Amino acid sequence: MRSLTLSRSFLLRLSLLGIAALFLVAIAISSMSLRTARMDLTADRVYTLTPGTQKIVDGLHKPLTLTLYFSEHATRDLPQLRSYEQRVHEMLREIAVRAHGRIRFRVIDPVPYSDDEDAAESYGLSPATGGSNGERVFFGLVGMGGTGDVPPQAIPFFDPAREAFVEYDIVKLLYELGMPTKPRLGVISTLPVEGNLVIGEPAWTVLRQLDQLADVTTIDPDGLTHIDDAVKVLLLIHPKHLSDDALYAIDQYVLRGGHLVVFVDPDAEMDNSPLVDSHGVVDDHDSDLRRLFEAWGVEYDPTKVVLDRSAALSIELNGSSLAHPAMLGVGPQDLNHEDVVTASLQRVNFSTAGFFELAPDTKARLVPLVQTSDEAEVVSAQRVRDAASDPSTLLDNYAPTHERYVLAARLRDTFHSAFPEREEKGHLSQAAAPGEVVLVGDTDLLSDRLWIDVQPLLGQQQLTPFANNGDFVANIVDNLGGSTALLSIRGRVNSQRPFTKVRALQAAADRKFLVKKRELENELYETQRRLAELQPAKNSPAAATATVEQRREVEQYLQRKLAIGKELRDVQHQLNAEIDALGLRLKFINIVLVPGIVALIGLIYGWRRTRRSRRVV
């Protein structure tokens, strides 16, 4: 029996040594061959890079350095920002791993009065206030090319409000580092967006702003037969009287994968063409792209203007201020915060804008960027023009349709040609892949008067924006001017996962509370009204002649008033009762039940093993 015992002990030791050796071999192999292996078990794949990100990272040819500046000490009392930093840190690390050595990633804590703090500011990072002991908080990213031939690019501050677009912002920075040349922007316009040098009229501010983002090229629509593929984004502003050749050139540009932004308008107030020309032709200053819109499945009426009394801007007219329902200040509630173009905007101003809808038989998708409220109404453009001297008349007989009208949107589809009869060389009847066109139902939003305040300062013009019109257009161009891989990166879900069960219970409790509260408040109102009738002034003759029954009834109502107040307090206290119960159940499961089950399993396993050992002996 002893020899058998020794033999079992020896085999056990040998087995343990073998397991340890296999473990060390597995660790060595995994460290060499599984460096990039990751497993994302989150419900929304928060830590998995999108295919667009992977394509851009894989396409990097030059070494890059990414430096995350984060004030570790200053944020010790800001748990939400620290949690967001962990999300950004994890994503940057995933990108660096994916790059296989082409990206060097480092993290720096720019402590106050240090060289690191000076470097962060020199790169354009914007510190926030409110850190511990009043310290400034840095939380930004700087990207630099390893060869030094590309100027540094920076994300000044990772705003938690843009968490859904953090991947897009980071990859956009990588794309700009890898592709340092400005994208080429083509502009076809019948409005004087370039100003008039002869009379000293400057270009519109929005165009000067775009000139900083892209290589802007003006394209003459007269004689236009082809649009160069080098044009990354084409702005078509107020298209009027375009020839079929020009429309065909635009049509084929879109089918070849070009990025088009269309600005049409039912009443372009900046259109300086005569209302009636020398030939007696009437020009209502409207614009349309009817043939292409029909081919794309878009419905747009150039004779209709959207009014919205809830978004009406105030204007000064004849020395008085009045609301203009055709001039709209669209706020955050009507901007698409799930789209990178409008996510961070606060207000975009429109004037006499049109709207877009999809044709009933189309397969295209219309993704709204800007919409009206449900207080909007549609009227004829002529009625708006007739009310120019007194816009308040537009509110006469105002009848909202309770629909939200799309003022700007992305149109997505595998587009078909509006010129199927053409037989030119290289003609495309259908796009090879899905594409998108951005539609905007207003051209006046481009003009300075709707978003820029110009004030003279020391002989110069000081431009102060009071709306985000310029940012809106710049974001569109910036977004479309990137690669198709960059366009494919949509907003991600927020990493702050809500307690959905708790929210559901909260909503149900709110509903029950509100119903009960409304019933009790109605009863309380009736009780107080009845008391006011039964309780005349103390010094009045009626007070002296009040009967015993009236006094008793008054006492009953006073008691009921106190009882209603108590019931309201009880309902208020019961509002979170189910949530508190859920919390207790979760605590019991996590603190008592699960550890108890694990301990019980361990005890049973140990007891059975001890019992088996005794049998062997």
Side-chain angles (χ1 to χ4, degrees):
M1 181 66 69
R2 180 174 178 80
S3 62
L4 180 61
T5 303
L6 291 175
S7 177
R8 286 176 179 275
S9 177
F10 175 77
L11 290 175
L12 178 61
R13 292 191 183 95
L14 187 63
S15 299
L16 290 175
L17 288 174
I19 292 172
L22 287 174
F23 177 75
L24 292 175
V25 171
I27 291 294
I29 293 175
S30 64
S31 64
M32 296 175 62
S33 60
L34 300 178
R35 289 181 179 180
T36 61
R38 297 289 191 276
M39 182 176 293
D40 188 354
L41 300 179
T42 58
D44 299 296
R45 314 293 290 173
V46 172
Y47 297 101
T48 301
L49 302 179
T50 62
T53 297
Q54 295 174 13
K55 183 177 179 180
I56 289 177
V57 173
D58 293 344
L60 295 174
H61 302 294
K62 298 180 180 179
L64 303 176
T65 299
L66 296 180
T67 305
L68 177 64
Y69 286 88
F70 182 70
S71 302
E72 182 73 26
H73 182 269
T75 58
R76 65 179 184 270
D77 298 326
L78 302 173
Q80 184 178 1
L81 198 63
R82 295 178 69 89
S83 175
Y84 184 33
E85 187 273 339
Q86 185 178 2
R87 164 84 187 278
V88 173
H89 192 144
E90 290 288 339
M91 180 162 291
L92 289 168
R93 191 173 65 178
E94 287 294 317
I95 290 174
V97 170
R98 176 78 188 188
H100 301 289
R102 295 190 301 276
I103 293 179
R104 178 192 175 202
F105 174 52
R106 58 180 184 165
V107 181
I108 293 178
D109 180 5
V111 297
Y113 311 109
S114 66
D115 293 340
D116 291 332
E117 184 184 52
D118 294 338
E121 289 189 296
S122 68
Y123 289 129
L125 300 193
S126 303
T129 58
S132 302
N133 299 325
E135 296 179 21
R136 298 188 301 169
V137 176
F138 285 88
F139 184 21
L141 182 68
V142 176
M144 292 182 289
T147 58
D149 57 344
V150 180
Q153 302 288 335
I155 297 176
F157 193 86
F158 282 104
D159 184 358
R162 284 185 61 85
E163 181 177 359
F165 305 100
V166 63
E167 183 177 3
Y168 175 88
D169 292 338
I170 293 172
V171 178
K172 178 176 174 292
L173 180 141
L174 294 177
Y175 177 79
E176 291 174 347
L177 286 171
M179 304 289 182
T181 57
K182 291 182 179 180
R184 188 175 171 189
L185 171 65
V187 178
I188 300 176
S189 176
T190 60
L191 296 178
V193 295
E194 294 183 291
N196 190 333
L197 296 178
V198 177
I199 62 175
E201 184 178 296
W204 293 6
T205 301
V206 70
L207 198 66
R208 300 202 303 270
Q209 187 181 58
L210 292 177
D211 196 41
Q212 299 175 3
L213 298 174
D215 180 13
V216 180
T217 302
T218 302
I219 300 175
D220 187 358
D222 295 335
L224 178 63
T225 58
H226 178 77
I227 297 174
D228 193 344
D229 289 340
V231 175
K232 297 290 289 183
V233 183
L234 177 64
L235 298 188
L236 183 58
I237 302 173
H238 201 44
K240 292 171 55 180
H241 314 304
L242 295 182
S243 66
D244 285 347
D245 287 341
L247 290 173
Y248 179 68
I250 298 170
D251 171 89
Q252 294 295 293
Y253 171 77
V254 172
L255 266 57
R256 293 196 305 271
H259 300 125
L260 176 67
V261 186
V262 180
F263 294 86
V264 288
D265 201 323
D267 183 19
E269 298 168 35
M270 303 305 294
D271 190 340
N272 54 16
S273 59
L275 292 173
V276 181
D277 63 15
S278 58
H279 301 286
V281 178
V282 177
D283 187 340
D284 288 333
H285 291 176
D286 60 349
S287 54
D288 194 2
L289 206 60
R290 184 178 301 278
R291 185 162 184 173
L292 298 187
F293 282 171
E294 289 177 352
W296 298 340
V298 174
E299 292 185 348
Y300 164 79
D301 190 341
T303 67
K304 300 295 184 182
V305 171
V306 181
L307 308 182
D308 190 348
R309 62 187 177 188
S310 67
L313 291 174
S314 295
I315 65 170
E316 294 291 331
L317 188 64
N318 299 326
S320 60
S321 179
L322 52 88
H324 196 321
M327 296 183 67
L328 312 180
V330 182
Q333 68 278 4
D334 297 316
L335 300 174
N336 185 353
H337 287 277
E338 296 181 359
D339 194 288
V340 67
V341 167
T342 48
S344 301
L345 306 184
Q346 296 301 312
R347 192 176 80 176
V348 180
N349 291 340
F350 291 75
S351 182
T352 60
F355 64 98
F356 303 98
E357 293 178 315
L358 288 177
D361 56 346
T362 185
K363 296 181 180 179
R365 289 182 57 219
L366 193 67
V367 182
L369 296 175
V370 185
Q371 300 181 88
T372 66
S373 72
D374 57 4
E375 286 288 304
E377 179 190 21
V378 175
V379 299
S380 69
Q382 187 58 48
R383 182 184 170 190
V384 176
R385 285 190 287 268
D386 293 341
S389 60
D390 186 8
S392 63
T393 59
L394 294 173
L395 295 173
D396 295 342
N397 302 317
Y398 192 92
T401 59
H402 303 296
E403 294 184 22
R404 302 186 69 192
Y405 295 94
V406 177
L407 305 180
R410 295 183 190 264
L411 178 69
R412 293 175 179 156
D413 195 12
T414 302
F415 295 110
H416 291 75
S417 176
F419 298 85
E421 73 283 357
R422 292 270 188 155
E423 298 180 356
E424 282 86 341
K425 182 180 178 180
H427 168 77
L428 296 177
S429 59
Q430 181 180 337
E436 75 175 32
V437 172
V438 175
L439 307 175
V440 183
D442 187 34
T443 61
D444 301 305
L445 68 86
L446 301 172
S447 63
D448 292 2
R449 68 187 183 92
L450 282 186
W451 69 284
I452 283 286
D453 183 28
V454 181
Q455 295 291 338
L457 179 65
L458 300 177
Q460 301 291 330
Q461 286 187 337
Q462 183 180 14
L463 306 179
T464 304
F466 54 84
N468 298 120
N469 294 30
D471 298 327
F472 174 61
V473 179
N475 287 352
I476 292 174
V477 172
D478 203 20
N479 180 239
L480 298 181
S483 68
T484 54
L486 190 61
L487 280 175
S488 69
I489 303 173
R490 305 299 178 194
R492 305 293 292 272
V493 298
N494 195 302
S495 63
Q496 303 296 327
R497 300 301 305 277
F499 292 98
T500 53
K501 179 65 175 177
V502 173
R503 285 190 175 181
L505 289 174
Q506 180 74 54
D510 284 345
R511 288 193 295 270
K512 289 191 292 186
F513 169 74
L514 290 175
V515 171
K516 184 65 175 176
K517 181 181 179 183
R518 189 175 295 113
E519 293 176 355
L520 292 173
E521 285 179 342
N522 290 337
E523 186 176 355
L524 180 61
Y525 172 78
E526 290 297 326
T527 300
Q528 291 174 332
R529 185 185 62 81
R530 183 59 178 159
L531 279 173
E533 295 176 354
L534 294 173
Q535 285 185 302
K538 292 183 178 180
N539 298 327
S540 66
T545 59
T547 64
V548 176
E549 290 78 7
Q550 287 175 327
R551 294 193 185 95
R552 187 180 297 114
E553 189 175 2
V554 167
E555 185 65 26
Q556 290 175 354
Y557 275 110
L558 287 173
Q559 294 296 327
R560 182 54 188 157
K561 179 181 177 181
L562 294 174
I564 291 174
K566 184 177 182 302
E567 288 184 42
L568 281 171
R569 288 192 296 273
D570 291 341
V571 173
Q572 181 71 57
H573 290 315
Q574 293 171 5
L575 176 60
N576 294 319
E578 293 184 28
I579 297 174
D580 293 339
L582 175 63
L584 291 174
R585 290 198 297 270
L586 290 175
K587 289 178 181 178
F588 174 77
I589 292 172
N590 291 329
I591 299 174
V592 179
L593 184 60
V594 173
I597 292 175
V598 173
L600 181 62
I601 293 174
L603 290 172
I604 294 174
Y605 177 77
W607 173 74
R608 293 187 62 182
R609 186 172 180 177
T610 303
R611 186 178 179 184
R612 190 181 299 112
S613 299
R614 288 176 178 174
R615 286 179 179 176
V616 172
V617 174

